[in-house]
Amino acid sequence: MYPNALQWASIHIGHMDKATLLSFMHNVDEKGQAENAAPMRTKLGQFWTPFHEAYVLYDQVFNPSRKTLESEDLKILDDERDDSLGAYHEAVLGLQRNPNEAKKQAARLLNLNYDTYKPERSQEYMKETELISQMTTEIRNSQELSAAIQLLGLEDYLADLEQKNNAFANLMKSRTASTEGQQKGAVAEARANLEQKYQLFRQMLNVASIYEGDADYRPFILAVNAEVEHFRQILARKGVSMGADINSGTGTDTGSNENDNENDNQGGTNQGSGTGTITPTNPDTPSDPGTGGGGSTGDGWEEG
């Protein structure tokens, strides 16, 4: 055994709204697809593949095909929104070369916020709309990010992007009102499946790292732990504080577009003995792998 092996840290995925969860899972999936994660995929393919497939499914149900919503007026608003998004991002990128160190750092902070969500004009309508909303909301809710906007004189860029994204969202909502309940149900089901596959994959990787050593898993764990830390900071700015380990529950998402409930599905506490081993006969119902200290391997802030 390798009791000091590197472990994949936990985070409150149950407290993430839909778009933040999508961004986080996209980044985890991207790290897992990287070339240096090939040994991990080879050894843990039976857990990696179900997670990857669950992420792809969640992305698909979250983002209905652009073709099903296409119309001339939607396209006009989408083009206007995309132009505003491009102007904002180009301004942020350009300001990173500012000779003033304070302004340079402010631009870097805003670019990190942009890279967290990665809204792009090529994305499906609903995905781009949600990601822009989450990106701009984080700026408004963060004193540090808001100060960066003011320091760099980007308030007009940001306000224009918000106005155009909201105009597009309102028109799109009127087009999809008849299927809204059905779409929410599909998203909730896909989310629950994704959370389950994510937790199982994470637990199995931590067990393998302890019992086999972390050499084949270290590049991937280091990469995803960096994402965990970054998204912990995002959740902290939204009022999710560090504390005892808390399971994420089933991941039911009851929020809507811009007003997702950040504090749903808190679930129950899990004391965990941290001593067990895993030999599951059914990979969807794992035993407690006891991967660390006195805390849970459920989705909470790790204390051990």
Side-chain angles (χ1 to χ4, degrees), residues 91 95 98 100-110 139-140 143-156 158:
L95 287 165
N98 194 296
N100 181 288
E101 187 61 29
K103 291 185 177 181
K104 182 187 296 184
Q105 291 303 320
R108 288 176 177 172
L109 186 64
L110 290 173
I139 293 174
R140 296 303 190 191
Q143 184 176 357
E144 189 177 22
L145 291 171
S146 296
I149 289 289
Q150 296 299 323
L151 177 63
L152 297 174
L154 296 177
E155 176 59 34
D156 288 346
L158 184 63

Side-chain angles (χ1 to χ4, degrees), residues 17-74:
D17 55 69
K18 296 188 291 291
T20 304
L21 180 74
L22 184 66
S23 296
F24 175 70
M25 293 299 183
H26 169 80
N27 292 351
V28 172
D29 184 74
E30 189 175 59
K31 306 306 180 190
Q33 298 282 27
E35 184 177 351
N36 63 6
M40 178 278 294
R41 295 195 302 272
T42 298
K43 287 194 170 185
L44 294 177
Q46 61 180 318
F47 305 110
W48 158 258
T49 299
F51 162 75
H52 170 71
E53 292 174 347
Y55 158 70
V56 171
L57 176 62
Y58 181 71
D59 186 36
Q60 289 174 345
V61 299
F62 185 73
N63 300 294
S65 171
R66 181 182 289 259
K67 293 180 181 178
T68 65
L69 299 170
E70 193 73 82
S71 69
E72 184 176 355
D73 46 0
L74 269 176

Side-chain angles (χ1 to χ4, degrees), residues 137-273:
T137 298
E138 184 184 349
I139 293 174
R140 296 303 190 191
N141 291 341
S142 166
Q143 184 176 357
E144 189 177 22
L145 291 171
S146 296
I149 289 289
Q150 296 299 323
L151 177 63
L152 297 174
L154 296 177
E155 176 59 34
D156 288 346
Y157 283 87
L158 184 63
D160 183 60
L161 176 59
E162 289 175 312
Q163 185 274 322
K164 289 177 177 174
N165 193 55
N166 288 337
F168 180 88
N170 289 335
L171 180 58
M172 186 174 66
K173 186 174 182 179
S174 69
R175 297 292 172 82
T176 59
S178 61
T179 59
E180 187 175 1
Q182 181 180 0
Q183 198 262 345
K184 280 185 178 181
V187 170
E189 183 178 352
R191 175 174 182 148
N193 178 57
L194 174 58
E195 289 196 16
Q196 179 191 42
K197 297 302 190 297
Y198 168 86
Q199 296 290 15
L200 182 61
F201 173 39
R202 174 179 163 269
Q203 290 169 2
M204 295 301 102
L205 187 148
N206 282 344
V207 169
S209 182
I210 288 176
Y211 282 89
E212 301 172 9
D214 59 21
D216 288 333
Y217 311 117
R218 178 170 286 270
F220 174 73
I221 295 176
L222 288 172
V224 293
N225 278 352
E227 294 296 332
V228 166
E229 178 58 30
H230 178 57
F231 277 83
R232 280 181 175 180
Q233 294 173 17
I234 292 174
L235 292 182
R237 287 196 290 268
K238 295 181 177 182
V240 181
S241 60
M242 295 180 66
D245 285 346
I246 300 175
N247 288 335
S248 66
T250 60
T252 304
D253 189 23
T254 58
S256 62
N257 288 349
E258 297 87 10
N259 298 312
D260 288 323
N261 182 354
E262 307 290 7
N263 298 309
D264 58 355
N265 310 311
Q266 186 164 310
T269 57
N270 184 344
Q271 299 302 319
S273 65

